[in-house]
Amino acid sequence: MDQSVPTIVHVSLQIYVIYDVDEVMQTLKVSASLRLSWLDEHLVWNPDDFDGIQTGVYPQNSVWKPDVSLKNSVDDFKTLGDPSLNVIVTFKGLVTWEPYQIFSSRCRFDITYFPFDKQACEMIFVTWGYTASDVRIWRPELGQAANLEDILPNPEWDLVGVRTRNESNPRPMIIFDVYLKRKPTYVVNNIILPLIVLIALNGCVFLLPERSGEKTGFAVTVFLSFMVFAIIVQATLPVNSENVWYLSVFVTLQTVESSVITIVAICLVRIEGRSDRVPDWLASLIICITCYKVLSRSSDPTKDGCNLCLGKQKCENNKVEPFFIDECHEHESSLGDNREEAPIVDWGQVSSRLNWLFFAVFVVFNIVSLFILMALLYLNTRDQ
């Protein structure tokens, strides 16, 4: 009756089914209903004048109702309700309207911590054609603004809760923040575990001998597997430049590492095939960095108290080359005679020691990077 007083519309949301959460299209599709109630002073009557009738049911188009629409809808923009729906009116003028609809709203996904992420999707309901001086949309005076008791479970997402906010500018609106938590089991089984297996295979490149002829082929195969794996994973997520997906960074890092391992494997095959003398500085470096203690070939094979012959005392503190032992068998009677010096480290040994060195380096690198990734994802889960 008083046009200077805005009509207060109380709104609550009831979600029944989460149909789809599309990260690529960045949409949320739910089956839900809005429960709207307000006082209409023109629909007040005395029950005693109408045989005690206290409640009436009327078609929705027979009474005034606020034109409420989903502002961030992905589908066609239209007001709520259907001509077949009814409204319930009490003798005090309290009108209750509960339109049911499948809502598709636009969301902004933050995939930084995928697959241990939480998402907040807004469902913005606004009254078109009215200002804040005419209509106000508020949450219910009693009870929850969102009813989640009848919701059916979703295989991919858990509905954590719903928060309500009110806005009056530029027009009256109520915002429902729908909080979703991803169920990570599927992603862990189909992405993370296969990724860990590929990482383990990547380091096994250095366990293959160069003369087997399979080293470079194995390295290239693992590299291509990482490339295909990265493409498949990226296709499942939205194109987003605002936030970085940690797992995507990790996959890219492993792909780069695989390409480096392939190049190193090719170089090791080249090194193993050389037949010239190993430079002294390189031999010393290999011995130093691999903690490989060896004897130099001198004129006296019994030098430093280490007898190289099988029939003599074994050398327990030093590693002796097999061809030294064969030479001792053939010339046991000539111990102490002068022999021609030869390089103690050949290219095969250089390649072998480098294989073990790179294997250890990349294993440590993978363990550390995997630990950092899991720590980042775990910290996010704990904070949430």
Side-chain angles (χ1 to χ4, degrees):
M1 298 296 183
D2 187 355
Q3 295 295 317
S4 63
V5 178
T7 300
I8 306 300
V9 179
H10 297 282
V11 181
S12 63
L13 175 69
Q14 180 163 349
I15 299 177
Y16 302 106
V17 180
I18 299 178
Y19 277 118
D20 185 35
V21 180
D22 194 334
E23 296 95 334
V24 178
M25 300 300 297
Q26 301 199 48
T27 59
L28 170 65
K29 188 176 182 180
V30 299
S31 172
S33 64
L34 283 182
R35 184 181 181 89
L36 300 94
S37 60
W38 63 93
L39 286 176
D40 191 334
E41 298 172 352
H42 297 281
L43 300 178
V44 178
W45 72 88
N46 187 354
D48 296 335
D49 297 336
F50 298 93
D51 296 330
I53 297 176
Q54 298 183 359
T55 303
V57 179
Y58 307 98
Q60 68 168 25
N61 292 335
S62 299
V63 299
W64 176 89
K65 63 184 187 304
D67 294 328
V68 180
S69 303
L70 181 63
K71 182 180 180 181
N72 58 337
S73 175
V74 179
D75 300 329
D76 294 338
F77 188 82
K78 59 182 180 180
T79 59
L80 298 181
D82 187 86
S84 61
L85 296 177
N86 297 324
V87 296
I88 300 175
V89 184
T90 66
F91 70 95
K92 294 182 179 181
L94 178 62
V95 183
T96 302
W97 179 42
E98 193 170 355
Y100 172 91
Q101 191 169 313
I102 296 178
F103 300 99
S104 296
S105 59
R106 179 72 64 184
C107 294
R108 295 181 61 185
F109 287 93
D110 184 0
I111 57 173
T112 303
Y113 301 101
F114 177 89
F116 304 98
D117 55 330
K118 281 186 177 181
Q119 304 297 338
C121 293
E122 293 182 341
M123 298 180 66
I124 306 174
F125 293 96
V126 62
T127 57
W128 295 101
Y130 298 100
T131 63
S133 60
D134 300 323
V135 176
R136 294 287 183 89
I137 302 181
W138 288 353
R139 58 176 296 157
E141 294 180 344
L142 300 175
Q144 299 293 328
N147 186 356
L148 309 178
E149 296 178 355
D150 297 332
I151 187 171
L152 297 177
N154 183 276
E156 187 178 358
W157 295 88
D158 284 327
L159 181 57
V160 179
V162 179
R163 188 180 66 175
T164 308
R165 293 179 288 139
N166 296 99
E167 299 287 345
S168 57
N169 289 317
R171 53 180 52 88
M173 66 181 68
I174 185 170
I175 304 172
F176 293 96
D177 294 317
V178 181
Y179 292 94
L180 302 170
K181 182 180 180 181
R182 190 190 304 273
K183 298 177 180 179
T185 305
Y186 176 83
V187 179
V188 170
N189 292 337
N190 292 275
I191 294 181
I192 296 182
L193 291 182
L195 178 61
I196 294 176
V197 172
L198 279 179
I199 292 173
L201 291 177
N202 211 14
C204 292
V205 172
F206 299 107
L207 300 181
L208 287 174
E210 280 74 7
R211 296 184 180 180
S212 66
E214 301 292 336
K215 195 180 193 70
T216 56
F218 181 79
V220 172
T221 301
V222 175
F223 171 72
L224 294 177
S225 300
F226 269 110
M227 291 295 297
V228 174
F229 187 82
I231 293 174
I232 294 175
V233 171
Q234 293 294 337
T236 62
L237 296 175
V239 179
N240 195 334
S241 300
E242 295 182 358
N243 47 71
V244 179
W245 176 34
Y246 286 153
L247 192 56
S248 175
V249 175
F250 183 75
V251 173
T252 303
L253 183 64
Q254 293 298 324
T255 304
V256 174
E257 177 190 338
S258 183
S259 64
V260 173
I261 288 178
T262 302
I263 297 173
V264 172
I266 295 173
C267 294
L268 291 176
V269 172
R270 292 278 298 175
I271 289 175
E272 198 275 339
R274 298 183 61 173
S275 58
D276 55 330
R277 180 187 178 91
V278 179
D280 294 337
W281 66 269
L282 181 58
S284 301
L285 181 62
I286 293 298
I287 294 172
C288 178
I289 63 177
T290 59
C291 299
Y292 181 52
K293 188 177 181 181
V294 295
L295 296 175
S296 61
R297 282 191 176 183
S298 63
S299 59
D300 185 2
T302 61
K303 187 177 180 180
D304 298 329
C306 182
N307 196 327
L308 302 180
C309 295
L310 291 178
K312 305 297 180 179
Q313 182 180 2
K314 294 182 179 179
C315 180
E316 297 179 352
N317 299 324
N318 298 280
K319 296 182 179 179
V320 181
E321 294 184 356
F323 51 80
F324 268 16
I325 299 175
D326 295 338
E327 188 174 344
C328 285
H329 277 298
E330 296 177 2
H331 305 284
E332 289 184 3
S333 59
S334 60
L335 291 176
D337 297 340
N338 291 332
R339 294 181 296 175
E340 182 180 358
E341 293 188 1
I344 192 169
V345 178
D346 59 14
W347 289 109
Q349 291 172 317
V350 172
S351 176
S352 175
R353 299 302 161 185
L354 289 178
N355 271 292
W356 285 108
L357 175 63
F358 284 121
F359 176 77
V361 170
F362 282 107
V363 166
V364 172
F365 174 79
N366 289 331
I367 293 176
V368 172
S369 58
L370 187 61
F371 175 80
I372 294 175
L373 174 66
M374 293 296 105
L376 291 173
L377 298 179
Y378 170 75
L379 290 176
N380 167 70
T381 304
R382 187 186 64 178
D383 293 341
Q384 290 181 347

